[in-house]
Amino acid sequence: MAPPADDWFGKAFSKAWKDKAEEIGRFNLAIFGKTGVGKSTLVNAIFGEEIAATGIGEPVTRAEHLYLHRSGTLGVLDTRGLEVGRDNAKLINELNDYLHGMRRKPLAEQIHVAWYCVRSGDRRFEPTEGEFIRALHDLGLPVILVLTQVPRAGVRVHPDAEALAASIAAMDLPIEGGLIHYTMARGDEFTGQTAYGLQELLDATFRGAPSGVAHAITAAQQIDFVRKRDRAETAIKAATGAATTAGASPIPFSDAAILVPIQLTMMASIAVTYGIPIERSTAASIAATAAATTAGRSLVGNLIKFVPGAGTAVAGTINATVAGTFTYAMGHAWLRVCERLARGELRMVGGALDSEKIHKLFLDEFKVSASRRKLPS
């Protein structure tokens, strides 16, 4: 249980996190292919293990052959009990009914992209699979075709996979970009085979999906930290501008907590973007900022003294430049914490968050970022 002094901050951060998660919405991926092609392995490799923990998901049709797994900013639509190629008509009918009703719902409730997966070791692609892909396209779903478990030596993929891809390409299927993506979702230390093709598949998914779910994809995926950082930088820039505007008329330090909602929204946006669950990011935010008091004044008072050029702000007023620099430094310090958390770091033995390490990292990064953004003398 959080100590009483942190209770206000924890509740405020949790609310901001929920609001931001709702604003970002959810990316919904439909994934198809024959049994055993490695669909779950591929999803887990790009989006992390959280989706697997949700189990079979919930049925979305009365026939109970389509299941939607929900996990934060990701939804995965999968099939159960029917086989592509053998049960095409039933699957397409159920999909048609589902997609028809779904299009009246908000964007976050719609299916945005379909992956169709083919295991390269099968060495064949049935005509009925091509028919299924054409039917998905006719239903309005962008289809990305993925060859899974493709062995590679250096930059050369296995000749059998190349031959399979050539035979599929000859069918002139309506797939995104006309591309067939080679992937190996999981490496093998024994054979020396490394994972590859995941970034290219993720890039294709961004291209195929509506622009309105780009932030949700960025938050859900766990391999492209450049995209996450770019989104986080956008949130920091917006918050820095808002704080600068708030300080255009100098803020008496006694009223400095007016900056806290701006910073909470920024921190929540960064945490959601990095895919840090609400409980973990709330605990980390308390540890990072060492926040206390119901007014949030200590959040400002504990940190602003590290802003070069702030001078006697604590005793007097906070101007626009100080407010902007303070928020900028706070954002970049929190970004660094979230980045390390998303990579599975900052934990003690047993898995609990290392609060001391989090606070030290945050404070060190805050000082560096504050000094980097020079204040006018």
Side-chain angles (χ1 to χ4, degrees):
M1 179 180 295
D6 292 331
D7 191 51
W8 170 86
F9 185 84
K11 288 180 179 178
F13 180 90
S14 294
K15 182 181 184 304
W17 190 101
K18 291 175 183 176
D19 290 344
K20 185 54 65 172
E22 183 177 353
E23 177 187 321
I24 290 172
R26 190 175 68 243
F27 165 62
N28 296 312
L29 169 71
I31 183 163
F32 302 103
K34 292 188 173 181
T35 303
V37 298
K39 294 178 288 183
S40 295
T41 302
L42 192 61
V43 169
N44 291 344
I46 293 179
F47 296 104
E49 299 295 331
E50 293 295 328
I51 196 69
T54 64
I56 192 61
E58 60 185 80
V60 296
T61 64
R62 284 178 292 181
E64 297 189 359
H65 294 126
L66 298 179
Y67 284 78
L68 183 64
H69 313 244
R70 291 185 177 93
S71 180
T73 50
L74 176 68
V76 177
L77 185 76
D78 202 352
T79 59
R80 180 187 181 194
L82 295 180
E83 183 77 6
V84 173
R86 185 191 67 202
D87 303 304
N88 281 9
K90 288 182 180 178
L91 276 173
I92 292 301
N93 283 338
E94 289 189 34
L95 275 168
N96 184 49
D97 290 344
Y98 177 56
L99 294 175
H100 180 73
M102 183 193 69
R103 290 191 179 102
R104 295 191 294 268
K105 296 182 179 180
L107 184 62
E109 298 297 322
Q110 299 178 26
I111 301 299
H112 306 117
V113 170
W115 289 353
Y116 190 86
C117 300
V118 181
R119 184 169 57 188
S120 67
D122 290 345
R123 302 184 182 181
R124 67 180 184 275
F125 182 80
E126 305 285 352
T128 50
E129 294 183 89
E131 293 169 7
F132 186 77
I133 288 174
R134 294 185 192 279
L136 290 177
H137 176 76
D138 290 343
L139 291 176
L141 279 178
V143 182
I144 297 171
L145 200 149
V146 189
L147 286 191
T148 65
Q149 304 173 29
V150 181
R152 185 176 74 168
V155 297
R156 179 78 190 276
V157 301
H158 196 286
D160 288 346
E162 290 184 322
L164 177 59
S167 68
I168 296 173
M171 298 176 71
D172 195 26
L173 296 171
I175 55 179
E176 284 296 297
L179 300 174
I180 297 170
H181 297 271
Y182 298 113
T183 64
M184 178 67 75
R186 184 183 296 162
D188 185 333
E189 290 185 8
F190 182 77
T191 63
Q193 178 65 64
T194 58
Y196 74 91
L198 303 179
Q199 182 66 55
E200 291 77 8
L201 176 56
L202 179 62
D203 291 343
T205 303
F206 272 99
R207 291 192 298 270
S211 60
V213 296
H215 197 165
I217 305 175
T218 300
Q221 58 84 25
Q222 295 298 320
I223 64 172
D224 189 340
F225 281 84
V226 173
R227 277 190 168 103
K228 287 184 181 291
R229 177 174 280 269
D230 287 345
R231 281 284 180 180
E233 293 277 5
T234 298
I236 293 170
K237 183 177 180 180
T240 299
T244 301
T245 299
S249 298
I251 305 168
F253 184 73
S254 60
D255 295 332
I258 194 174
L259 297 175
V260 173
I262 295 170
Q263 293 151 356
L264 278 172
T265 299
M266 171 186 69
M267 292 176 69
S269 178
I270 294 169
V272 175
T273 295
Y274 274 94
I276 314 299
I278 185 170
E279 296 85 1
R280 194 181 309 163
S281 56
T282 299
S285 69
I286 292 171
T289 61
T293 82
T294 57
R297 290 193 187 94
S298 68
L299 177 61
V300 181
N302 289 347
L303 295 174
I304 203 166
K305 58 190 175 184
F306 298 113
V307 177
T312 59
V314 172
T317 60
I318 298 175
N319 64 26
T321 309
V322 172
T325 299
F326 174 55
T327 304
Y328 170 91
M330 193 171 176
H332 280 90
W334 179 241
L335 182 157
R336 182 63 176 140
V337 169
C338 287
E339 195 168 70
R340 298 263 315 259
L341 286 171
R343 293 182 185 275
E345 303 171 11
L346 301 177
R347 289 173 175 267
M348 298 186 293
V349 175
L353 292 179
D354 190 331
S355 296
E356 290 186 11
K357 187 177 289 186
I358 289 172
H359 181 62
K360 184 179 185 305
L361 173 63
F362 181 86
L363 194 56
D364 289 347
E365 291 290 333
F366 182 92
K367 292 175 183 178
V368 170
S369 295
S371 64
R372 187 184 301 129
R373 184 180 165 95
K374 300 294 185 182
L375 290 176
S377 56

